[in-house]
Amino acid sequence: MLGPRQEAQAALFYEFSLEDHVPQDHLLRSIDRFVDLSSIRAHLADYYSHTGRPSVDPELLIRMLLVGYCFGIRSVRRLCEEVHLNLAYRWFCRLDLNDRIPDHSTFSKNRHGRFRESELLRHLFETTVACCIEEGLASGQRMAVDASLIEADANKQNSTPKEEWDASSIDPADAPRAVREYLDTLDEAAFGGASEV
């Protein structure tokens, strides 16, 4: 016998728990056991104004970024959509069904602003490595480097011919921030300890 036609009818009240809908073997559950972001607010306190509208919780932004890294979501716009739709992502980010997802522009402003100025991501990386050493997951004695070859995104039409290139005309102060940070790191004692740099 043909069953009755399903028609969506809005209920007046719902009883719903995200906790019940995230499988116990989900990747985010195993990650959540070890994620401790309690130090973020104290680390960033000096980078927030004491007046104005309350900000988006920085822990939420970091949890969303972790979701993006774990599941290969490279676009921040796409990440916001996925966290909006996926119950497990909402659970990991401590969002209820009614909670709004931050706008994608919030990530850019924080990542390139206060997260960079406060070196929050470095702080999180170092505390994570320290926890791994404490738990016996890493020794802290050796380091692995990915030596993948990546083709440069260089435009040969805009490059300077080798015979016209003059190294003495380069001003190090004009180098982009990423280049300056890389060169500063190479000059540090940790990298220059084995040989002269």
Side-chain angles (χ1 to χ4, degrees):
M1 172 163 103
L2 185 64
R5 183 177 187 175
Q6 286 294 113
E7 292 187 29
Q9 185 175 5
L12 187 55
F13 299 103
Y14 286 99
E15 185 175 322
F16 187 86
S17 169
L18 281 175
E19 183 71 34
D20 297 339
H21 286 80
V22 179
Q24 291 300 315
D25 61 347
H26 197 282
L27 174 64
L28 290 177
R29 278 200 187 270
S30 57
I31 292 172
D32 189 60
R33 286 186 212 116
F34 299 101
V35 172
D36 179 16
L37 301 175
S38 59
S39 64
I40 288 179
R41 296 181 83 74
H43 188 81
L44 290 173
D46 295 338
Y47 295 89
Y48 285 91
S49 173
H50 298 289
T51 59
R53 193 175 71 180
S55 67
V56 174
D57 184 5
E59 182 176 341
L60 168 60
L61 298 177
I62 296 299
R63 284 183 174 274
M64 287 180 69
L65 288 174
L66 285 172
V67 167
Y69 295 141
C70 291
F71 293 97
I73 305 170
R74 298 176 63 183
S75 162
V76 176
R77 287 177 192 258
R78 176 67 185 218
L79 176 61
C80 292
E81 291 173 6
E82 291 294 329
V83 171
H84 175 72
L85 295 172
N86 190 303
L87 295 178
Y89 297 173
R90 278 185 173 272
W91 172 85
F92 182 76
C93 293
R94 309 292 192 261
L95 292 169
D96 197 6
L97 289 176
N98 296 326
D99 291 333
R100 293 189 62 197
I101 307 299
D103 188 70
H104 64 88
S105 63
T106 304
F107 284 93
S108 298
K109 290 176 185 171
N110 280 281
R111 194 183 320 181
H112 300 295
R114 66 176 55 98
F115 286 4
R116 176 173 284 165
E117 293 165 10
S118 67
E119 294 193 346
L120 174 68
L121 299 178
R122 178 185 298 267
H123 167 74
L124 289 174
F125 177 75
E126 289 172 355
T127 55
T128 301
V129 171
C131 288
C132 290
I133 291 171
E134 190 176 304
E135 292 292 326
L137 299 173
S139 67
Q141 300 299 316
R142 291 184 171 77
M143 176 177 69
V145 177
D146 180 7
S148 301
L149 297 177
I150 301 172
E151 186 176 334
D153 184 19
N155 185 346
K156 292 183 180 181
Q157 294 174 346
N158 290 339
S159 64
T160 304
K162 185 177 180 180
E163 53 276 356
E164 295 176 21
W165 191 70
D166 179 20
S168 63
S169 67
I170 297 174
D171 183 7
D174 293 338
R177 181 200 53 80
V179 173
R180 288 192 311 269
E181 285 180 4
Y182 175 74
L183 293 175
D184 290 344
T185 302
L186 290 179
D187 287 339
E188 288 179 7
F191 285 88
S195 62
E196 291 200 18
V197 177

